[in-house]
């Protein structure tokens, strides 16, 4: 449900907005104000999602009102004067409705607002997923038989691709996780883990030696005596992370 505030000194204009908006059940009109001062007070107390705002009003005009608000909602201007359009869009208005406006033109404004909200929601979702990834990068949670196993990321020695799974090697042994190596490449700390091969990622803290191996290839020797192959394309990544 989107909360709507109408700020307009023309009763007929406010009635038209109310009539048109009645066809959209996801919108709730929380207050109708007839001058800028009243609108300012309503903004400070009600925190609407959308405001229909007239430009020329007594006491305080629409632009002056916005200048006094730190966190303004989305704004659709409703005015009989077309000369304010450029200034209106400079305030990042969703739309500019020139009175008298039709129901079809009003519908386009609502569509613009809903598209904007979808974009914002998508951005917030992606940011939330990114935060989740960052949190998950501190540990790996998996199921071992009927128990939940939590592996702190620093305890991982290296990872090996295994079709749609990944073998995770630690001092305790090998564990299987139903994720791809590409997933771990994105989620593990890039300054600690590097994908050195199509099938391997390694914790750089575990590396003790880099040895030449076959044609332009290398082998990594790890603390526990394990060896991990380094491909031709993986070697530059490894050098970059190690600062070589």
């Amino acid at each position: 449900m989107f909360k709507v505030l109408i700020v307009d000194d023309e009763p007929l204009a406010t009635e038209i907005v109310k009539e048109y908006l009645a066809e959209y059940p996801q919108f709730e009109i929380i207050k109708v104000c007839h001058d800028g001062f009243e609108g300012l007070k309503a903004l400070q107390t009600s925190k609407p999602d959308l405001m229909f705002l007239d430009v020329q009003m007594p006491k305080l005009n629409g632009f002056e009102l916005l200048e006094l608000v730190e966190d303004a909602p989305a704004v659709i201007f409703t005015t009989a004067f077309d000369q304010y359009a450029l200034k209106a869009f400079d305030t990042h208005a969703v739309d500019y409705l020139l009175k008298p406006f039709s129901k079809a033109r009003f519908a386009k404004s609502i569509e613009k607002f809903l598209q904007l909200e979808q974009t914002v929601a998508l951005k917030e979702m992606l940011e939330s997923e990114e935060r989740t990834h960052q949190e998950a990068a501190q540990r790996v949670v998996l199921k071992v038989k009927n128990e939940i196993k939590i592996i702190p990321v620093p305890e991982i020695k290296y990872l090996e691709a295994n079709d749609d799974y990944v073998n995770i090697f630690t001092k305790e042994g090998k564990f299987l996780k139903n994720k791809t190596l590409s997933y771990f490449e994105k989620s593990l700390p890039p300054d600690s883990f590097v994908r050195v091969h199509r099938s391997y990622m390694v914790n750089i803290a575990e590396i003790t030696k880099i040895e030449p191996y076959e044609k332009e290839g290398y082998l990594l020797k790890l603390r526990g005596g394990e060896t991990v192959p380094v491909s031709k394309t993986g070697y530059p990544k490894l050098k970059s992370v190690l600062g070589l």
Side-chain angles (χ1 to χ4, degrees), residues 20-165:
Y20 290 169
L21 204 58
E23 297 187 12
Y24 300 88
Q26 66 269 51
F27 291 88
E28 176 192 8
I29 298 173
I30 55 174
K31 192 171 181 62
V32 176
C33 303
H34 299 289
D35 63 62
F37 279 134
E38 188 183 356
L40 181 60
K41 292 179 182 177
L43 279 173
Q44 293 169 338
T45 57
S46 59
K47 305 296 182 183
D49 302 297
L50 174 63
M51 174 168 58
F52 288 90
L53 180 62
D54 192 7
V55 175
Q56 291 193 344
M57 294 181 292
K59 299 181 181 179
L60 197 68
N61 69 41
F63 294 118
E64 291 169 339
L65 184 155
L66 290 178
E67 288 177 4
L68 298 172
V69 180
E70 290 186 5
D71 189 18
V75 176
I76 296 176
F77 280 95
T78 56
T79 178
F81 304 93
D82 59 5
Q83 66 263 35
Y84 301 115
L86 288 178
K87 186 174 181 180
F89 287 112
D90 282 342
T91 67
H92 305 291
V94 174
D95 206 355
Y96 190 88
L97 287 174
L98 194 60
K99 300 174 183 176
F101 46 85
S102 66
K103 183 183 293 187
R105 181 64 185 86
F106 182 86
K108 289 183 179 180
S109 289
I110 295 298
E111 184 179 350
K112 285 183 179 181
F113 169 77
L114 293 175
Q115 288 175 347
L116 177 64
E117 287 298 304
Q118 287 177 349
T119 301
V120 171
L122 177 60
K123 181 181 178 182
E124 290 176 349
M125 182 185 72
L126 292 174
E127 289 175 348
S128 175
E129 289 179 352
E130 180 63 24
R131 287 193 297 270
T132 301
H133 258 166
Q134 292 171 353
E135 292 168 1
Q138 305 304 313
R139 62 180 187 252
V140 175
V141 181
L142 44 82
K143 190 173 182 180
V144 180
K145 296 182 179 179
N146 294 322
E147 297 181 355
I148 299 298
K149 174 71 176 177
I150 297 177
I151 304 174
V153 163
E155 293 184 9
I156 298 173
K157 303 177 77 172
Y158 68 100
L159 304 97
E160 177 187 35
N162 185 356
D163 292 328
D164 292 331
Y165 292 79

Side-chain angles (χ1 to χ4, degrees), residues 93 124 153 177 180 231:
E124 290 176 349
V153 163
K177 177 71 173 177
T180 64
S231 67

Side-chain angles (χ1 to χ4, degrees), residues 180-196:
T180 64
L181 202 59
S182 294
Y183 167 83
F184 283 104
E185 188 176 13
K186 294 175 182 177
S187 60
L188 291 178
D191 57 343
S192 301
F193 286 82
V194 58
R195 188 166 184 172
V196 296

